[in-house]
Amino acid sequence: MSDTPQEPGHDARETPEHWRALVAQVGREVAEPLSAALERVVQLATTGRIDQASLRELRGEIESARRIGIVGQQLARFGARRLRQSDEKLDLAATLQNVLTQRSRELGSRGIEVKHSSRPIEVLADPALLFSLLNSLVDWAVELGGKRVTLRVDRDPVTRHGRIACHVHEADARRPAVPEAAGMQRPVSLNRHLLLELAGSLGLAVASEHEAGRTALLLGFPKTADLDAPPDAAPPERDPGDISSLNSKPLAGSHVLVLSARRALRLEVRESIARMGLVLDFVGSVDEAISFCNETMPHALVYEGVLHGAKLEQFARELRAELPAIGLVEIVEQADTWSPPLTAAEPPALERAKVGRESLYHQLPPALVFELSRQL
């Protein structure tokens, strides 16, 4: 893939025309599933009945519209101002493995087989930007509709830069090849736009190709740790006028499941983390949470402490057994501050942060940042 065409540069996408076209595309892509969902709702209002298949399709259409809205929100962050980054030394292969583990149930439910081979390679990158990039890479691979995805982390043999190669193998390999020049004329999906914006912000080299039955994307990391600046190089200074680290790091799109039986508390949770751009789902009981997680795993679980009992404890243990880095936040009634998990005092499966309801608005966002950062 070293001779494949390069994607348009980041600067080429910094034009008013580009952003106006993106806004129009967000509107079109949100309207399409919502129009289909509205037809089903009208039919339900007319007949008073809906079968299970139509109910599943209705939920899927609403979820699709919501996801497009979240992607649009993430893209808007790039259009508003450049993000200041705080680079850290990260294991690229381990971070990718965390993302794949997080999304294994979703990929399995879609019948997508993922093969992953890698070697430990450290790169310098903002952790949250890298996490968002890898999730966008998975989203892009999923939307192509292939049933087999191959991911590889290795070094470029010439530059020695770390790189990720993603190959999506389509279900129908008999489809004729499309030349790259013609392929670039096709509408670029919002997931692809977001992936390119994230790659541009991280300073990655991006190349792609398409042939019969296979689409490939290569992401090169020039800031590979052992090739970069001296270890005592000063980190970039933050501008107080820029978005704070809480909001600048695009945690938007991270999936949080909220377990609460009280509507008032649900509204308080939604309000307290509205600016973070997280994908929120709400369930009212432990049984509903178990059913939900059987289909897809969230990045974090927030639950009200009054529901804590043997069943919830066992559920938490099972979540941690499958996904050790999943975030757990308990909302308690009395405390007015949040405390990070005390690993020395609690078994690993029960490690969790605690947030007092009285200080929810101020303390839940940093608690979630703390918990979500554990996965990087």
Side-chain angles (χ1 to χ4, degrees):
M1 285 184 58
S2 58
D3 58 349
T4 55
Q6 299 294 311
E7 296 284 354
H10 190 257
D11 291 340
R13 300 191 296 277
E14 294 292 333
T15 63
E17 293 77 12
H18 167 76
W19 292 107
R20 280 196 290 268
L22 268 184
V23 170
Q25 185 174 348
V26 170
R28 288 194 305 271
E29 294 197 17
V30 168
E32 184 177 346
L34 286 184
S35 296
L38 181 58
E39 290 181 10
R40 297 186 194 280
V41 172
V42 170
Q43 182 180 10
L44 172 60
T46 302
T47 63
R49 293 179 298 178
I50 185 171
D51 57 35
Q52 287 295 320
S54 295
L55 186 60
R56 284 194 299 271
E57 290 174 356
L58 175 62
R59 177 178 176 178
E61 289 155 355
I62 295 173
E63 289 286 349
S64 176
R66 183 179 70 162
R67 179 60 192 166
I68 294 167
I70 291 293
V71 172
Q73 184 182 35
Q74 290 176 284
L75 285 168
R77 293 170 181 263
F78 294 99
R81 65 184 76 177
R82 289 184 181 275
L83 304 176
R84 290 300 181 97
Q85 302 178 41
S86 178
D87 286 351
E88 298 178 17
K89 189 180 292 187
L90 304 169
D91 187 325
L92 187 58
T95 306
L96 177 59
Q97 183 58 61
N98 285 343
V99 170
L100 293 176
T101 301
Q102 182 76 53
R103 303 189 62 172
S104 60
R105 290 189 180 183
E106 173 196 349
L107 295 169
S109 68
R110 293 174 179 269
I112 299 175
E113 177 190 2
V114 178
K115 292 186 176 180
H116 174 217
S117 63
S118 62
R119 51 179 296 187
I121 295 176
E122 291 187 324
V123 298
L124 297 175
D126 181 276
L129 274 177
L130 180 61
F131 183 71
S132 293
L133 173 86
L134 297 179
N135 270 291
S136 294
L137 180 63
V138 174
D139 290 335
W140 170 78
V142 167
E143 78 176 0
L144 288 181
K147 294 300 181 185
R148 186 160 59 91
V149 177
T150 303
L151 290 157
R152 186 180 73 254
V153 175
D154 62 9
R155 287 185 185 269
D156 184 288
V158 177
T159 65
R160 297 186 64 246
H161 293 164
R163 63 182 182 179
I164 297 177
C166 177
H167 298 261
V168 182
H169 306 269
E170 298 165 11
D172 186 0
R174 297 170 295 177
R175 194 181 77 165
V178 178
E180 185 71 19
M184 292 304 294
Q185 297 173 4
R186 294 175 296 177
V188 178
S189 73
L190 290 174
N191 281 325
R192 179 68 166 251
H193 276 300
L194 179 59
L195 179 59
L196 293 178
E197 290 294 339
L198 288 163
S201 295
L202 285 164
L204 308 188
V206 184
S208 63
E209 69 177 9
H210 175 74
E211 58 187 25
R214 184 180 69 96
T215 299
L217 190 69
L218 182 67
L219 302 174
F221 291 76
K223 292 194 291 185
T224 301
D226 59 358
L227 302 176
D228 208 76
D232 58 349
E237 184 178 351
R238 291 189 180 274
D239 183 346
D242 285 321
I243 303 172
S244 69
S245 63
L246 175 62
N247 292 316
S248 66
K249 292 183 176 182
L251 294 171
S254 295
H255 187 188
V256 177
L257 180 63
V258 181
L259 169 56
S260 173
R262 293 179 286 179
R263 176 175 173 78
L265 183 55
R266 293 186 184 195
L267 292 176
E268 290 173 22
V269 170
R270 184 190 295 276
E271 214 174 282
S272 66
I273 57 179
R275 295 181 61 198
M276 297 178 69
L278 301 169
V279 178
L280 295 180
D281 276 298
F282 296 87
V283 291
S285 68
V286 178
D287 286 335
E288 289 180 19
I290 293 172
S291 178
F292 184 96
C293 291
N294 283 337
E295 296 183 10
T296 182
M297 287 282 280
H299 297 103
L301 172 68
V302 176
Y303 64 92
E304 58 175 319
V306 295
L307 296 179
H308 193 271
K311 195 169 190 177
L312 180 56
E313 182 178 343
Q314 180 60 32
F315 175 50
R317 289 180 182 276
E318 291 172 358
L319 289 179
R320 276 286 166 80
E322 181 166 346
L323 195 67
I326 191 171
L328 296 175
V329 180
E330 179 180 351
I331 300 174
V332 296
E333 292 292 327
Q334 301 302 324
D336 60 359
T337 59
W338 81 276
S339 58
L342 303 176
T343 56
E346 298 176 345
L350 300 180
E351 180 184 336
R352 63 194 182 276
K354 293 184 179 181
V355 176
R357 185 175 179 181
E358 294 180 3
S359 58
L360 203 62
Y361 187 84
H362 298 289
Q363 302 300 341
L364 184 55
L368 278 172
V369 169
F370 181 91
E371 287 297 302
L372 291 170
S373 297
R374 298 170 70 249
Q375 302 176 29
L376 302 178

